[in-house]
Amino acid sequence: MKRVAIIGGGVSGLSAAVTLAKQSQHKSGQRFHITILESLSKLGGRVYSFTDKNFSKPIDNGQHIMMGCYRETISYCRQIGSMDKLLFQENLSIPFIAYADEITLLQAPALPYPLNLLWAMLSYRGLDIISKWKLIGFLMAMKFSNRPLSWVNESAAEWLERFDQTPQICSALWNILVVGILNTKPEIGSARLFEKVLREIFFTDSFSSTMVVPKTDLSDVLINPAIEYLGTRGGSVRFNERILAIEENNATLILTNCKGHTEIFDAVIFAIPLFALRKIEGIFSFITLPENDFDYSPIISFHFELKHNPLKEKYYALLASPIEWVFNHGSHISTVTSAATAWIGKSQNELLPLFKGELKKYFGISEDDIIAYRMVKEKRATFVPDIETESKRKKIMQCSLGNVYLAGDWTNTGLPATIEGAILSGKIAAERLL
Ligand SMILES: Cc1cc2nc3c(=O)[nH]c(=O)nc-3n(C[C@H](O)[C@H](O)[C@H](O)COP(=O)(O)OP(=O)(O)OC[C@H]3O[C@@H](n4cnc5c(N)ncnc54)[C@H](O)[C@@H]3O)c2cc1C
């Protein structure tokens, strides 16, 4: 039986482990002894939930937005048995709020694809007639072109401007989508990557453009069922095991952990971020990595436990607020502020009045309605997918000599730093190993 170590228990590591465990089940398949080595005392990496005594339900480190085009994520959930914990929209529907009390729906009716999306754009009240036609012209150009319309050395903002997307279209649609998808400003994010994601969302099928929302907390959907799945298939997880070094000896790999212990494996999948991988002693003799680390972009989330929750929809997109998304969990609501570089240095007490003020302005939530609040700052939520980073990612090989493989949202998946990219990367690494 092959001994495989997976370093890092985020969703990319779990996806690699689940792919290998599934293969081990086949009668004719190879057998693996899978061990996940995780430096923290919990799994999930940047996807985790925790309890707070002032909140009635577990809260997530940050609300994660998923879509119908997250095919690998959906297939992973099917594999680990958590599909019933996902809420699937029937058709695209996003309530956008530009001004307090004025909700504009971007909503696709139950028409055949792609007529439903065309209808959604035509009936979107956030745009005047000229902007609607410019938007539809741009989308049609994308639909009927087999080649990318964006240039590799172009930012998302430059691309949108080149295709005559008016300031109104950008502020009513594109800006919030760029920031939500790339976690960086349109002036910085790679146009090529943004276009790729847009094509996945809008030009695959109508399901791809719908939102997929976890019914419970993220750990309950993506992490705990995977641990159970692995547990019943002979996989094991070890916590508080930071791996510090790797070396090769007689076609086996020796890992050294933070306690100074060494252990032998036949294959190793590193499913950790680039900044952590670069610190592993000996890694450069197995893999060529970018000379410098990537830049990272923060996300700030606020959670509010409420006495009375006035929100009617499951989520809202705010077009002119430091809060971009608000998600409704019944007893509590969660806000998302992506690309939050301007706010990340500020404390909870400094930011609280601003966020409470926005909730009052847009939803009428007063001080008296709030039972508890909790801010979560993730400084390195995602890498910044700018033009230079995207060109470096394209050169990363996910396997090397000596049975060392790479996974993680930053690897060469062709996707931004997302759950989908991470899950895909773990599957690719496991398939290469197989
Ligand atoms: C607040 C927030 C909001 C987000 N919103 C969205 C969203 O809406 N939609 C979306 O799709 N994505 C979103 N993302 C991005 C998504 O969470 C990440 O892309 C994904 O979780 C990355 O998974 P990963 O396995 O590649 O890396 P990680 O989750 O970082 O996992 C790496 C793991 O490796 C461990 N580790 C590191 N070094 C070592 C070592 N030396 N030895 C052992 N273990 C080690 C770490 O502790 C960690 O558990 C968001 C992220 C954040 C933080």
Side-chain angles (χ1 to χ4, degrees):
M1 205 186 281
K2 248 189 178 177
R3 295 156 297 181
V4 181
I6 297 174
I7 317 303
V11 282
S12 63
L14 289 172
S15 158
V18 165
T19 308
L20 292 177
K22 182 179 159 201
Q23 175 69 20
S24 279
Q25 270 183 295
H26 291 287
K27 276 196 181 144
S28 56
Q30 293 183 62
R31 295 265 180 276
F32 298 103
H33 188 271
I34 306 159
T35 311
I36 297 182
L37 301 170
E38 166 57 50
S39 64
L40 301 178
S41 55
K42 60 151 188 72
L43 289 187
R46 278 168 279 162
V47 175
Y48 67 94
S49 315
F50 57 96
T51 51
D52 177 313
K53 63 178 176 17
N54 297 317
F55 282 73
S56 52
K57 289 193 255 176
I59 43 183
D60 297 328
N61 65 321
Q63 178 71 45
H64 280 61
I65 300 164
M66 297 186 268
M67 300 198 75
C69 60
Y70 275 40
R71 281 179 282 280
E72 296 299 338
T73 308
I74 292 169
S75 139
Y76 165 89
C77 289
R78 192 171 291 118
Q79 192 62 41
I80 61 174
S82 64
M83 282 293 276
D84 58 331
K85 294 173 183 166
L86 292 175
L87 186 69
F88 293 94
Q89 249 186 0
E90 278 187 20
N91 288 296
L92 167 75
S93 177
I94 306 179
F96 284 105
I97 310 186
Y99 310 102
D101 285 340
E102 198 185 309
I103 298 180
T104 311
L105 278 179
L106 178 67
Q107 197 164 35
L111 286 173
Y113 169 81
L115 284 181
N116 57 345
L117 291 180
L118 189 65
W119 182 262
M121 298 300 166
L122 278 172
S123 57
Y124 180 38
R125 285 195 297 123
L127 300 174
D128 61 27
I129 193 72
I130 294 171
S131 292
K132 274 180 192 169
W133 283 116
K134 287 189 171 173
L135 172 64
I136 288 168
F138 177 48
L139 292 173
M140 287 299 116
M142 225 187 301
K143 166 115 186 108
F144 292 109
S145 164
N146 295 328
R147 291 169 166 208
L149 297 181
S150 57
W151 298 331
V152 263
N153 57 356
E154 200 172 34
S155 71
E158 286 164 339
W159 179 49
L160 294 169
E161 199 185 337
R162 189 158 61 80
F163 277 83
D164 213 10
Q165 298 301 283
T166 60
Q168 190 189 49
I169 312 175
C170 290
S171 58
L173 187 70
W174 291 132
N175 291 350
I176 196 163
L177 290 187
V178 175
V179 173
I181 291 169
L182 302 182
N183 192 24
T184 192
K185 290 181 186 162
E187 296 74 35
I188 296 175
S190 148
R192 194 43 85 77
L193 186 63
F194 183 54
E195 177 175 3
K196 180 161 192 293
V197 179
L198 286 185
R199 285 177 180 271
E200 288 279 331
I201 295 176
F202 292 117
F203 304 124
T204 313
D205 49 34
S206 64
F207 177 64
S208 292
S209 62
T210 59
M211 301 275 274
V212 179
V213 186
K215 285 186 199 164
T216 61
D217 58 279
L218 283 171
S219 292
D220 193 36
V221 179
L222 295 169
I223 313 303
N224 300 338
I227 302 174
E228 257 175 60
Y229 181 91
L230 294 170
T232 54
R233 285 156 185 85
S236 60
V237 180
R238 298 215 307 257
F239 295 99
N240 305 312
E241 282 224 28
R242 178 177 293 278
I243 294 305
L244 298 182
I246 180 165
E247 62 184 296
E248 196 175 14
N249 187 14
N250 286 337
T252 59
L253 297 163
I254 305 173
L255 294 178
T256 307
N257 72 14
C258 51
K259 295 158 198 157
H261 298 157
T262 56
E263 198 167 348
I264 293 174
F265 291 92
D266 301 302
V268 175
I269 297 177
F270 281 97
I272 60 181
L274 179 60
F275 66 83
L277 186 68
R278 291 172 56 81
K279 289 186 196 150
I280 305 283
E281 199 186 312
I283 193 69
F284 288 93
S285 43
F286 293 90
I287 285 173
T288 311
L289 291 172
E291 266 179 31
N292 302 311
D293 194 7
F294 295 163
D295 288 333
Y296 294 88
S297 180
I299 296 181
I300 294 178
S301 310
F302 256 103
H303 306 280
F304 293 93
E305 177 84 3
L306 299 176
K307 252 188 243 162
H308 308 287
N309 180 351
L311 274 60
K312 304 265 179 310
E313 308 287 342
K314 194 75 192 118
Y315 49 83
Y316 298 84
L318 306 190
L319 295 171
S321 166
I323 299 174
E324 280 133 22
W325 294 88
V326 178
F327 280 78
N328 176 2
H329 301 282
S331 54
H332 78 268
I333 59 172
S334 304
T335 69
V336 180
T337 303
S338 304
T341 314
W343 316 105
I344 199 72
K346 301 208 183 293
S347 68
Q348 172 168 282
N349 284 348
E350 284 173 298
L351 290 177
L352 192 61
L354 173 72
F355 281 70
K356 278 185 180 169
E358 293 296 290
L359 292 182
K360 173 100 183 133
K361 181 165 129 195
Y362 285 98
F363 303 103
I365 295 172
S366 70
E367 189 76 46
D368 287 347
D369 295 323
I370 300 172
I371 301 171
Y373 52 81
R374 176 93 182 235
M375 177 176 76
V376 183
K377 290 203 274 186
E378 293 276 5
K379 285 190 184 156
R380 288 198 272 207
T382 70
F383 66 84
V384 176
D386 55 23
I387 298 159
E388 202 188 327
T389 301
E390 281 312 289
S391 93
K392 286 183 190 163
R393 285 177 82 206
K394 288 212 171 64
K395 293 180 196 135
I396 294 165
M397 302 291 292
Q398 274 163 283
C399 64
S400 70
L401 291 175
N403 276 334
V404 176
Y405 302 83
L406 291 186
D409 60 357
W410 60 277
T411 56
N412 184 9
T413 59
L415 295 173
T418 50
I419 292 178
E420 177 69 2
I423 289 181
L424 172 65
S425 75
K427 187 178 154 196
I428 293 173
E431 284 176 349
R432 296 240 161 102
L433 193 158
L434 285 167

